[in-house]
């Protein structure tokens, strides 16, 4: 990776990876691709940014040509809960947007990283120790777009030799950008509410286990996979990666160790609960460990401690 375009740079999953990429590859070598939300602060001031709406192939093509981009980190996507509310938009961004990125990559010989998700699984998938290769019949629009995206990336690799790579991200927990429109967002909101109000009303039922990952590990997964020896990659576009699995009771208990007065109650959202019930309780990520040495640094206790320390400082400003 020498010249990198990051789409979706300003959104939940985009802003921190973009800054890490700038630190590692040079500010001028990482182009922030924005659509409607303008970048702020360090993200805006530290290097180039350009309007890149991935559903407009001319915009993607223009920026790739202008900066001689060799790698596209394609993070622009509509997440699960919004995708259920706006399936047309989800199809347009998650499928047509990806197709445009792959076409431009084919033309200009770029490598492409695209995240898939635990949302690529569904109700008939084995939900415990979910294997790398297994049944994928999701019943959400988000899931449909994620499975299609995995297949499309495989196709572009086999048919056109585009160097496509990707992981199935679990819920990502970050102290920088607030989540929006996902099913796993509760695992971030809970920290903000615990610090600000000492209580949280959770929209996911007790006993619903989901895989999660702290943002530094999510960034490491993307960079390690893109830097991996291609000769060792068998799965390429859809590696299961996980760092921890918990239900709302377990994360609440961990937070209570730091904020003893914290309490949690429930007001379950039927849409997000139904989605969560079709996603793995925990994935088997041994293929990623074997093929490119995946190893997360943060489990639940270390992530919780770091989130509380960082957010306490941030929210006191
Ligand atoms: C969501 O909840 O939609 C995302 C995801 C797991 O893909 N965070």
């Amino acid at each position: 990776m020498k010249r990198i375009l990051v789409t979706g740079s300003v959104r939940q999953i985009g802003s921190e990876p973009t800054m890490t990429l700038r630190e590692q590859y040079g500010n001028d070598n990482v182009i922030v691709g924005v659509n409607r939300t303008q970048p702020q602060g360090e993200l805006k001031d530290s290097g180039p940014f350009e309007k890149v709406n991935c559903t407009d192939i001319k915009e993607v093509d223009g920026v790739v040509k202008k900066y001689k981009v060799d790698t596209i980190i394609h993070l622009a996507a509509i997440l699960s809960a919004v995708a259920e509310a706006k399936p047309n938009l989800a199809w347009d961004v998650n499928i047509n947007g990806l197709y445009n990125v792959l076409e431009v990559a084919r033309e200009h010989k770029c490598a492409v990283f695209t995240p898939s998700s635990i949302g690529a699984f569904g109700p008939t998938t084995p939900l415990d120790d979910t294997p790398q290769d297994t049944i994928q019949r999701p019943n959400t629009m988000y899931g449909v777009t994620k499975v299609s995206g995995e297949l499309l990336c495989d196709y572009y690799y086999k048919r056109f030799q585009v160097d496509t790579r990707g992981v199935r991200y679990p819920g990502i927990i970050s102290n920088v950008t607030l989540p929006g429109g996902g099913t796993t967002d509760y695992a971030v909101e809970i920290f903000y509410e615990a610090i600000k109000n000492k209580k949280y009303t959770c929209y996911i039922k007790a006993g619903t286990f989901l895989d999660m990952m702290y943002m530094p590990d999510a960034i490491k997964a993307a960079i390690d996979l893109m830097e991996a020896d291609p000769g060792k990659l068998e799965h390429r576009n859809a590696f299961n990666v996980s760092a921890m699995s918990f239900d709302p009771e377990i994360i609440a208990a961990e937070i209570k160790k730091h904020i003893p007065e914290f309490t949690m109650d429930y007001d379950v959202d039927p849409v997000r609960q139904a989605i969560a019930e079709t996603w793995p309780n925990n994935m088997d990520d041994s293929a990623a460990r074997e093929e490119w040495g995946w190893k997360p640094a943060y489990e639940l206790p270390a992530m919780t401690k770091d989130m509380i320390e960082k957010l306490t400082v941030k929210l006191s400003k």
Side-chain angles (χ1 to χ4, degrees):
M1 297 198 283
K2 292 193 175 61
R3 272 292 169 96
I4 305 164
L5 166 65
V6 187
T7 69
S9 283
V10 184
R11 312 302 286 189
Q12 184 215 350
I13 305 294
S15 61
E16 279 176 85
T18 305
M19 288 315 299
T20 307
L21 288 166
R22 282 193 165 158
E23 275 156 34
Q24 295 193 11
Y25 295 88
N27 286 345
D28 291 342
N29 293 326
V30 179
I31 296 95
V32 163
V34 301
N35 186 17
R36 273 175 301 199
T37 315
Q38 289 304 302
Q40 306 290 332
E42 212 189 1
L43 194 61
K44 177 167 174 253
D45 299 333
S46 57
F49 70 92
E50 292 281 348
K51 165 97 172 20
V52 184
N53 173 356
C54 64
T55 64
D56 181 345
I57 195 165
K58 287 201 193 88
E59 283 190 8
V60 184
D61 188 67
V63 173
V64 165
K65 268 205 255 187
K66 178 173 170 187
Y67 290 91
K68 299 194 171 44
V69 164
D70 63 36
T71 305
I72 306 173
I73 307 283
H74 180 46
L75 303 180
I78 301 295
L79 296 185
S80 54
V82 175
E84 280 315 284
K86 299 178 183 171
N88 290 351
L89 178 70
W91 183 267
D92 198 27
V93 175
N94 295 5
I95 294 296
N96 295 334
L98 175 60
Y99 177 79
N100 289 341
V101 164
L102 290 168
E103 269 299 292
V104 171
R106 176 169 77 88
E107 174 79 21
H108 298 287
K109 304 203 176 347
C110 303
V112 179
F113 173 84
T114 318
S116 183
S117 156
I118 50 175
F121 297 114
T124 48
T125 300
L127 297 185
D128 290 319
D129 293 322
T130 301
Q132 173 66 44
D133 301 307
T134 186
I135 301 164
Q136 290 183 267
R137 305 287 295 171
N139 57 4
T140 60
M141 181 47 112
Y142 184 62
V144 169
T145 65
K146 286 293 154 184
V147 178
S148 310
E150 291 180 5
L151 295 172
L152 201 56
C153 289
D154 278 346
Y155 179 79
Y156 267 72
Y157 171 64
K158 290 200 187 92
R159 177 83 166 76
F160 303 119
Q161 294 78 51
V162 176
D163 185 357
T164 53
R165 306 184 190 193
V167 297
R168 292 181 183 132
Y169 275 138
I172 308 284
I173 300 171
S174 152
N175 52 58
V176 176
T177 314
L178 268 167
T183 300
T184 58
D185 296 2
Y186 91 85
V188 182
E189 289 169 6
I190 194 171
F191 285 101
Y192 280 81
E193 294 305 313
I195 293 165
K196 285 194 293 195
N197 303 320
K198 318 284 176 234
K199 60 182 179 20
Y200 178 60
T201 300
C202 187
Y203 60 79
I204 292 290
K205 265 189 209 161
T208 311
F209 280 77
L210 290 168
D211 279 301
M212 301 279 175
M213 185 181 289
Y214 199 26
M215 182 57 99
D217 279 330
I219 298 172
K220 184 171 136 46
I223 295 177
D224 286 358
L225 176 57
M226 290 312 282
E227 296 290 3
D229 174 356
K232 297 207 173 124
L233 302 180
E234 275 174 42
H235 289 89
R236 282 200 157 259
N237 289 302
F239 283 98
N240 287 359
V241 285
S242 184
M244 60 192 94
S245 165
F246 54 75
D247 83 325
E249 292 291 309
I250 293 176
I251 187 171
E254 195 62 37
I255 291 173
K256 251 171 137 29
K257 290 181 189 166
H258 301 265
I259 307 173
E261 58 282 39
F262 175 62
T263 58
M264 185 170 72
D265 60 7
Y266 291 91
D267 180 13
V268 172
D269 169 12
V271 174
R272 286 180 287 184
Q273 181 62 32
I275 295 174
E277 283 173 13
T278 69
W279 288 358
N281 300 325
N282 66 297
M283 288 185 288
D284 172 355
D285 61 6
S286 50
R289 290 174 189 259
E290 281 155 25
E291 291 177 38
W292 48 278
W294 162 243
K295 193 171 183 301
Y298 288 87
E299 291 185 0
L300 178 62
M303 178 278 287
T304 304
K305 182 169 176 292
D306 201 58
M307 277 294 281
I308 291 176
E309 281 171 10
K310 301 246 166 70
L311 273 184
T312 304
V313 174
K314 179 173 156 180
L315 296 175
S316 69
K317 281 180 188 160

